[in-house]
Amino acid sequence: MPQTITRDVIAEFRDRLESHPIYGAVASRGDLQCFMQHHVYSVWDFMSLIKYLQSAVAPSAFPWRGDGDATLQRFVNELVLEEESDEHPVNGGFASHFVLYQDAMREIGANTRPVRAFVDRVRTRGIDDALANADIPPPARTFTATTFGFIAAGRAHEAAAALALGREHIIPGMFRAILGRVGADADA
């Protein structure tokens, strides 16, 4: 029987996550580089998750039908706008959060070649082939495969829950804790 999701259940999971050993494990610049080289796959698959939600609630098909919940459509479209074309903090242009993340990786000396090769492989051979590549860190492969399982299931409410509860509410706090521990400036 599925567990009923209540605020208390969510708070319990959030507390467990906030005390996860990863916070203590990322203690140096090298650790942060390694962490980011794993985490960047979840930044990429986040965009796939949000684009799936956009296609489910605000499809870009024509002829336009004009149905659906306009409030929900606007919410998802605003998320996509920010995630896909946010203001670049340095050059004044626009960039996706995935591109911004790779910029941050390069800034600390992390290797972006494997994730760029992964995205190219997705583009040319598909997600299943790209996930089979041995160059992907196993935890990143598992996480990304789980995300694409949500997408393949075609249940937008599950994808929305993964987005809201598994991403948007936890990532900022996680990075503040990690950056504070390694002595990096979050605003640099």
Side-chain angles (χ1 to χ4, degrees):
M1 172 184 274
Q3 182 178 12
T4 301
I5 304 297
T6 65
R7 289 181 197 262
D8 290 340
V9 169
I10 293 169
E12 178 186 331
F13 280 111
R14 183 172 292 133
D15 290 345
R16 285 176 43 201
L17 184 62
E18 288 175 357
S19 63
H20 193 279
I22 191 69
Y23 295 111
V26 180
S28 69
R29 185 180 198 91
D31 294 341
L32 182 58
Q33 290 167 342
C34 180
F35 174 81
M36 291 181 82
Q37 289 168 187
H38 284 69
H39 183 255
V40 68
Y41 293 91
S42 67
V43 175
W44 176 82
D45 84 354
F46 177 90
M47 283 306 304
S48 297
L49 189 59
I50 199 165
K51 293 299 280 187
Y52 163 73
L53 283 173
Q54 184 182 39
S55 75
V57 302
S60 61
F62 59 90
W64 182 68
R65 295 188 323 247
D67 55 355
D69 181 334
T71 301
L72 182 58
Q73 291 167 339
R74 181 174 180 100
F75 175 73
V76 170
N77 283 331
E78 285 179 351
L79 282 175
V80 170
L81 177 66
E82 181 178 317
E83 296 293 331
E84 196 168 44
S85 57
D86 207 353
E87 292 183 33
H88 197 290
V90 176
N91 70 19
F94 301 95
S96 70
H97 286 185
F98 180 64
V99 167
L100 294 173
Y101 195 92
Q102 289 178 84
D103 288 349
M105 289 176 69
R106 283 187 285 277
E107 186 177 323
I108 67 151
N111 186 1
T112 62
R113 279 189 301 274
V115 74
R116 286 184 287 127
F118 169 78
V119 172
D120 285 343
R121 194 171 188 130
V122 168
R123 190 176 299 118
T124 60
R125 297 183 184 178
I127 187 65
D128 292 334
D129 186 86
L131 285 172
N133 188 328
D135 292 339
I136 300 171
R141 178 183 299 111
T142 300
F143 188 89
T144 303
T146 299
T147 296
F148 277 85
F150 291 135
I151 292 169
R155 293 190 291 267
H157 64 286
E158 290 179 0
L163 181 80
L165 300 175
R167 312 285 179 96
E168 283 297 290
H169 292 291
I170 62 171
I171 300 301
M174 177 187 71
F175 268 104
R176 279 190 294 278
I178 290 172
L179 291 173
R181 184 168 184 83
V182 300
D185 182 3
D187 296 322

